[in-house]
Amino acid sequence: MVDYHIGVVFQALQCPQNYLRIQDDTLIGTVASTDVATKENLQNLEEVGKALLKKPMSRVNFATGVYEPFKNGGTNEDALKRFAKLLSEERRRRTARSPNAKSV
């Protein structure tokens, strides 16, 4: 529900490209629990995360509520790299405009 509602907000603000959520709704057992911090489970979670990075980027279809592959979105890893670059550039711009910015 959170993904759906936040996605609608970003869509209404005409900036859906600024919203990125990567999740796996298929987790079961201990790997789906937030309370199991055993070494084995943490290693399993790491593997889940690595696999998620390789999956195609997807977004929720607001008409159906179903996740669908995002055309030309690439993988989740590609999306994270693009998003990190966007955030880095935004910080650089804000720092440059700051009255407290020091020249480098």
Side-chain angles (χ1 to χ4, degrees):
M1 289 298 284
V2 170
D3 187 30
Y4 180 84
H5 290 291
I6 298 298
V8 169
V9 169
F10 276 82
Q11 189 78 26
L13 295 172
Q14 298 178 2
C15 58
Q17 73 281 1
N18 291 345
Y19 179 62
L20 175 64
R21 183 181 180 108
I22 300 171
Q23 64 184 40
D24 187 346
D25 292 338
T26 64
L27 300 179
I28 56 172
T30 57
V31 77
S33 174
T34 57
D35 297 332
V36 182
T38 63
K39 184 174 183 174
E40 178 185 7
N41 198 47
L42 292 176
Q43 288 173 337
N44 291 338
L45 285 169
E46 183 178 354
E47 293 304 314
V48 167
K50 287 177 182 178
L52 274 171
L53 286 174
K54 302 303 177 196
K55 288 185 176 182
M57 186 178 155
S58 62
R59 290 209 173 139
V60 68
N61 178 323
F62 298 121
T64 65
V66 176
Y67 284 91
E68 298 174 349
F70 185 69
K71 294 179 183 175
N72 302 325
T75 65
N76 288 322
E77 183 175 19
D78 298 332
L80 279 172
K81 287 178 182 178
R82 284 191 301 270
F83 202 66
K85 183 177 179 182
L86 178 91
L87 291 173
S88 178
E89 290 169 354
E90 178 64 22
R91 184 177 190 287
R92 195 172 300 120
R93 280 191 296 273
R94 289 182 185 205
T95 300
R97 289 191 313 245
S98 171
N100 298 326
K102 297 176 184 173
S103 34
V104 178

